[in-house]
Amino acid sequence: MKVFIISLGSVDSVVLKNLAEDLEKVLKIDVTILGSITLSEEAYSLEREQYSGDFILKYLSRIILLENGKLLGVTEEDLYAKGLNFIFGIAQISERNAVISLNRLKDKIRERALKEAVHELGHTFGLLHCENKSCVMSFSNNLDEVDAKSSDFCSEHNFLR
Ligand SMILES: [Zn+2]
Ligand SMILES: [Zn+2]
């Protein structure tokens, strides 16, 4: 099992490199940065001036990987999902694809991006949301909640050890 990172549109290469390095440490899984693809304009909502997370997941699922692994899209564009003003990321539960947005992470981007990436990848490994606010699988609605959680799983979710 590996994690592949793909950038959707242009993404700061230092941020990607740090994310790959940090994800390897937390998940104890090999992480490879694949490169960049253009963000499909079909995913863009003119009305909301944001990209649809669900559409991006569909788009990612069409990408063929030659090795068994999870695919994490990273974008600097702002994302939304139905019923939510914005999302930090979204994933397919127990499937392959996940996406995170760096758009609202501002400073502390390294640790915040790591938390959101671990969270979304946790969903692809079948994990659901956790009530424990310090667990990386707790749902974050704003940056305070992102900052309140750690980048690691609580003992209940610690499937990697
Ligand atoms: Zn979640
Ligand atoms: Zn937990």
Side-chain angles (χ1 to χ4, degrees):
M1 178 64 71
K2 283 179 94 166
V3 170
F4 295 94
I5 294 177
I6 192 163
S7 59
L8 306 167
S10 83
V11 176
D12 187 329
S13 61
V14 176
V15 173
L16 289 179
K17 211 180 131 268
N18 290 340
L19 180 61
E21 202 181 299
D22 296 345
L23 276 176
E24 284 194 334
K25 276 185 211 145
V26 174
L27 298 177
K28 298 171 179 70
I29 281 177
D30 241 26
V31 180
T32 302
I33 300 172
L34 290 178
S36 163
I37 56 170
T38 316
L39 202 48
S40 168
E41 284 310 308
E42 289 169 80
Y44 188 70
S45 162
L46 281 171
E47 208 181 339
R48 301 188 57 139
E49 299 180 312
Q50 289 170 305
Y51 285 83
S52 157
D54 286 306
F55 193 97
I56 291 173
L57 288 179
K58 274 187 213 148
Y59 189 67
L60 289 176
S61 64
R62 289 190 221 127
I63 294 172
I64 294 165
L65 291 179
L66 299 177
E67 282 175 85
N68 185 28
K70 302 296 187 186
L71 182 60
L72 175 69
V74 179
T75 182
E76 292 188 356
E77 299 294 342
D78 198 24
L79 303 180
Y80 75 92
K82 209 173 157 194
L84 295 167
N85 289 336
F86 75 92
I87 49 172
F88 291 120
I90 190 166
Q92 298 169 325
I93 310 286
S94 300
E95 289 188 51
R96 190 191 69 181
N97 306 293
V99 59
I100 60 162
S101 166
L102 306 175
N103 191 275
R104 293 174 187 255
L105 303 183
K106 298 179 188 146
D107 50 327
K108 296 191 200 165
I109 192 162
R110 182 170 183 166
E111 57 175 271
R112 287 169 174 168
L114 173 65
K115 290 172 185 179
E116 289 316 305
V118 172
H119 179 100
E120 298 310 336
L121 288 167
H123 283 316
T124 68
F125 287 108
L127 300 184
L128 301 177
H129 286 153
C130 184
E131 297 293 315
N132 181 342
K133 284 288 172 197
S134 67
C135 174
V136 75
M137 290 315 295
S138 71
F139 174 71
S140 304
N141 226 348
N142 55 53
L143 288 178
D144 285 342
E145 288 176 351
V146 176
D147 293 339
K149 68 187 178 185
S150 73
S151 57
D152 222 333
F153 301 95
C154 71
S155 51
E156 207 182 311
H157 285 136
N158 219 332
F159 68 106
L160 295 163
R161 310 272 135 81

